[in-house]
């Protein structure tokens, strides 16, 4: 029975760890600083090359860097986690889309793809990032290419609190 309990706990730990990048990405895409910051321990350390430092400074850096973008969309790919007691190591593939306004006022689509190299710690039963590094594998910068959707009626992603994600009442079927 003990082996089954160990496997169950390991599966629960992996699930908790694998939700961290999803909440991290939501924090970036919705410009939700508090959500982004909550994924890191207070003494966590980040090394992105363009930013090296602690969790509070990192959350501020991200909000400032992304606030001028028209929109952002991050996708998580392979997510490998190796648990070693109350510590774990991971590699998470990502693609990060950024709609920006270029120097001459034209909208551009920037895509950066790579991997996060992470160390997680479990404290008082909770997993959070203790270390996160971003490794860039490739990037593109192209003219915006979705003008054909203008006036289409599509619902576009927004920032917190305007995004559909936060409009919980709208998700309920109206009474007939």
């Amino acid at each position: 029975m003990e082996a089954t309990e160990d496997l169950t706990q390991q599966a629960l730990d992996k699930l908790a760890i694998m939700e961290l990048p999803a909440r991290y990405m939501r924090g970036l895409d919705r410009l939700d600083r508090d959500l982004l910051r909550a994924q890191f321990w207070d003494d966590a350390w980040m090394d992105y090359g363009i930013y090296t430092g602690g969790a509070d400074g990192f959350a501020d850096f991200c909000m400032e860097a992304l606030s001028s973008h028209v929109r952002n969309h991050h996708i998580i790919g392979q997510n490998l986690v190796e648990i070693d007691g109350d510590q774990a190591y991971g590699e998470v593939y990502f693609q990060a889309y950024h709609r920006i306004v270029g120097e001459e006022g034209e909208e551009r689509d920037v895509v950066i793809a790579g991997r996060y190299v992470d160390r997680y710690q479990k404290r008082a039963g909770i997993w959070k990032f203790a270390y996160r590094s971003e490794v860039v594998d490739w990037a593109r910068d192209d003219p915006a290419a979705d003008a054909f959707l203008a006036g289409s009626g599509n619902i576009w992603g927004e920032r917190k609190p305007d995004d559909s994600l936060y409009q919980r009442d709208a998700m309920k079927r109206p009474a007939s």
Side-chain angles (χ1 to χ4, degrees):
M1 190 68 165
E2 187 174 315
T4 302
E5 290 173 4
D6 288 346
L7 288 175
T8 300
Q9 186 57 54
Q10 186 173 18
L12 291 170
D13 286 342
K14 281 192 174 192
L15 180 59
I17 291 168
M18 293 171 80
E19 285 184 351
L20 291 171
R23 287 191 298 271
Y24 170 94
M25 297 303 198
R26 179 184 284 175
L28 292 175
D29 291 342
R30 304 285 69 87
L31 282 185
D32 187 338
R33 184 201 183 279
D34 294 339
L35 177 63
L36 175 68
R37 173 59 183 85
Q39 307 319 303
F40 295 92
W41 291 114
D42 289 343
D43 59 350
W45 190 254
M46 274 57 69
D47 185 0
Y48 281 54
I50 59 173
Y51 175 87
T52 301
D56 287 316
F58 180 70
D60 293 338
F61 169 81
C62 290
M63 295 302 108
E64 183 177 326
L66 299 176
S67 66
S68 66
H69 294 188
V70 177
R71 66 182 30 92
N72 300 290
H73 183 90
H74 291 78
I75 298 172
I76 300 168
Q78 298 92 298
N79 190 344
L80 300 173
V81 175
E82 298 172 20
I83 296 175
D84 183 13
D86 286 344
Q87 185 160 251
Y89 298 89
E91 177 186 53
V92 181
Y93 281 65
F94 74 90
Q95 287 187 6
Y97 163 81
H98 306 283
R99 169 63 57 88
I100 64 167
V101 177
E103 292 179 12
E104 298 188 20
E106 78 288 4
E107 290 192 349
R108 303 202 52 84
D109 291 335
V110 175
V111 179
I112 302 169
R115 295 164 288 122
Y116 294 108
V117 177
D118 298 323
R119 183 171 57 85
Y120 317 94
Q121 284 185 334
K122 184 178 184 181
R123 301 178 189 172
I126 297 170
W127 286 98
K128 291 188 181 189
F129 292 108
Y131 171 84
R132 176 156 255 213
S133 179
E134 182 180 272
V135 178
V136 175
D137 290 325
W138 62 269
R140 292 184 62 112
D141 180 351
D142 298 307
D146 57 6
F148 68 94
L149 288 174
S152 66
N154 285 322
I155 299 170
W156 290 88
E158 301 291 341
R159 304 291 170 75
K160 183 181 180 183
D162 299 322
D163 190 79
S164 297
L165 170 70
Y166 303 101
Q167 310 304 318
R168 299 289 169 96
D169 286 340
M171 294 182 208
K172 297 174 184 170
R173 184 178 184 150
S176 354

